[in-house]
Amino acid sequence: GAVVSQHPSWVICKSGTSVKIECRSLDFQATTMFWYRQFPKQSLMLMATSNEGSKATYEQGVEKDKFLINHASLTLSTLTVTSAHPEDSSFYICSARWGGATDTQYFGPGTRLTVL
Amino acid sequence: GENVEQHPSTLSVQEGDSAVIKCTYSDSASNYFPWYKQELGKRPQLIIDIRSNVGEKKDQRIAVTLNKTAKHFSLHITETQPEDSAVYFCAASDTGNQFYFGTGTSLTVIP
């Protein structure tokens, strides 16, 4: 089946630093990747949609200058949380969708970000 | 944009009983409805999905029904087992480029 990986799985950083999270589709080419944020015991909140080679589309209320997304290739998308603050602490999950007939998206294992 | 509502937020059933989770959506253009199961600290896993040209789909103990007119779809789990305990999310999508998730249902199956 389709496998999506994320790195790192857990990161702790100081306030003011930037953190990069990678999302990779390991055995398929992902034309579209999604980035979600999930707070404890809450649903997945879509942050942005990225298509390979083009700018990401951000959901309303998500600061694009704070959450930088780069979809450089068909197998890699990165999310950079710039100048992180404690309120950015959350579980970030990416998902990937291949460009076939299916709309199915496959989720990465998530990255837990803790900002001190 | 799309608004997906999910009920109930928590559900407890005895092992062997059935569980039903319901979702409603607002955008009539939505045509793809997946259900995900998420265990604590793990990634969401697709368990079943349905498209708008189908009214019902079944996979062993899991079934999903869709009522396009009423804009609601439901997940049915029969003969529940303790390993079914997890958080379940419904979602709706129109083009496949945006997925809107429900708020989740925490299912507990009591042995």
Side-chain angles (χ1 to χ4, degrees):
Chain A
V3 179
V4 177
S5 71
Q6 262 181 261
H7 177 81
S9 57
W10 191 14
V11 56
I12 302 173
C13 69
K14 291 183 178 179
S15 185
T17 59
S18 294
V19 176
K20 180 185 281 188
I21 303 170
E22 291 187 350
C23 178
R24 293 181 185 272
S25 56
L26 298 184
D27 53 359
F28 67 100
Q29 292 185 328
T31 53
T32 304
M33 287 186 170
F34 306 87
W35 285 97
Y36 295 87
R37 186 172 179 177
Q38 187 176 35
F39 291 103
K41 298 185 179 181
Q42 293 191 23
S43 187
L44 295 147
M45 184 190 78
L46 179 64
M47 298 175 66
T49 303
S50 75
N51 293 291
E52 184 266 339
S54 61
K55 290 184 179 180
T57 301
Y58 290 82
E59 293 297 297
Q60 193 171 9
V62 178
E63 299 176 60
K64 61 181 180 181
D65 294 331
K66 180 166 185 64
F67 298 100
L68 301 178
I69 292 172
N70 187 322
H71 194 157
S73 74
L74 285 170
T75 59
L76 173 64
S77 177
T78 60
L79 167 68
T80 302
V81 183
T82 62
S83 185
H85 287 91
E87 56 265 31
D88 298 324
S89 299
S90 188
F91 194 53
Y92 292 88
I93 306 180
C94 73
S95 70
R97 184 177 72 92
W98 54 7
T102 180
D103 297 324
T104 304
Q105 57 176 326
Y106 298 92
F107 285 88
T111 297
R112 186 163 302 283
L113 170 64
T114 301
V115 183
L116 303 177
Chain B
E2 176 67 278
N3 180 42
V4 178
E5 295 188 356
Q6 185 172 345
H7 300 280
S9 57
T10 60
L11 179 60
S12 293
V13 299
Q14 292 288 336
E15 182 177 358
D17 288 350
S18 295
V20 180
I21 303 170
K22 299 181 179 181
C23 286
T24 61
Y25 61 99
S26 61
D27 190 350
S28 57
S30 291
N31 56 20
Y32 176 63
F33 308 92
W35 284 90
Y36 289 87
K37 175 183 179 181
Q38 186 179 29
E39 297 178 20
L40 189 63
K42 296 188 177 180
R43 76 185 81 193
Q45 298 273 15
L46 178 70
I47 56 172
I48 197 167
D49 56 11
I50 192 168
R51 297 183 188 279
S52 58
N53 59 346
V54 176
E56 184 174 357
K57 184 177 178 180
K58 189 174 182 180
D59 182 4
Q60 299 183 337
R61 297 187 296 108
I62 296 173
V64 57
T65 58
L66 171 65
N67 183 326
K68 284 175 56 180
T69 303
K71 296 197 190 72
H72 66 70
F73 56 112
S74 301
L75 177 71
H76 304 252
I77 306 174
T78 58
E79 301 172 29
T80 54
Q81 302 167 3
E83 51 265 38
D84 294 330
S85 297
V87 178
Y88 292 81
F89 293 99
C90 63
S93 174
D94 56 356
T95 63
N97 284 328
Q98 285 183 307
F99 288 77
Y100 296 92
F101 283 80
T103 48
T105 296
S106 178
L107 173 64
T108 302
V109 179
I110 304 166

